[in-house]
Amino acid sequence: MLKIVEAHNIPYVASASIGYLNDLKKKVKTAKDVNGPAYIHIHTPCPTGWGFDASMTVEVARKAVETGLWTLYEIIEGQKKINIQISENINTLKYLKLQKRFKKVIKEDSTP
């Protein structure tokens, strides 16, 4: 979706996550102040649909970023900037195992 919006030369395009609230707040403020249209794509895990306890929503959101499956970045007037640098990605299997929606594709004896 971000690539589609970027292709339309929108002045401000960003990805965000509820797992990184300070980053999200900063991006909302930037989008509000930009001259022209702005778009923020926010990663918000769904406890019911994804099959995890609602109390783990922020943890699931953070792990999506920590695995590298969801990158936090913004594009301002065509210039891309990564906002959160993850020094070492966590094992993707740890992220997938938190969610029941992947139980059919993960072997029971899989170890992260």
Side-chain angles (χ1 to χ4, degrees):
M1 189 63 197
L2 287 167
K3 292 289 187 188
I4 294 170
V5 177
E6 180 185 0
H8 286 83
N9 298 314
I10 303 299
Y12 184 75
V13 179
S15 66
S17 170
I18 62 164
Y20 290 83
L21 197 52
N22 289 337
D23 179 68
L24 174 58
K25 287 178 183 179
K26 179 180 158 253
K27 288 174 178 171
V28 168
K29 182 180 181 332
T30 302
K32 181 181 68 99
D33 295 340
V34 76
N35 184 18
Y39 177 85
I40 304 174
H41 194 113
I42 304 172
H43 181 255
T44 308
C46 174
T48 305
W50 294 12
F52 62 87
D53 188 272
S55 66
M56 295 177 54
T57 302
V58 171
E59 179 184 354
V60 172
R62 281 188 164 271
K63 289 208 184 313
V65 173
E66 293 167 357
T67 59
L69 295 173
W70 187 265
T71 305
L72 299 178
Y73 68 94
E74 58 191 337
I75 302 168
I76 303 170
E77 300 294 339
Q79 299 297 314
K80 186 175 182 177
K81 173 185 164 191
I82 303 292
N83 301 114
I84 305 286
Q85 294 287 344
I86 303 300
S87 58
E88 186 177 319
N89 290 355
I90 66 163
N91 186 306
T92 303
L93 193 55
K94 288 181 182 180
Y95 170 70
L96 299 179
K97 280 188 161 190
L98 290 174
Q99 304 165 62
K100 290 180 183 165
R101 67 184 176 144
F102 294 112
K103 69 182 179 185
K104 291 185 179 180
V105 295
I106 299 173
K107 294 181 182 178
E108 289 294 323
D109 60 348
S110 299
T111 56

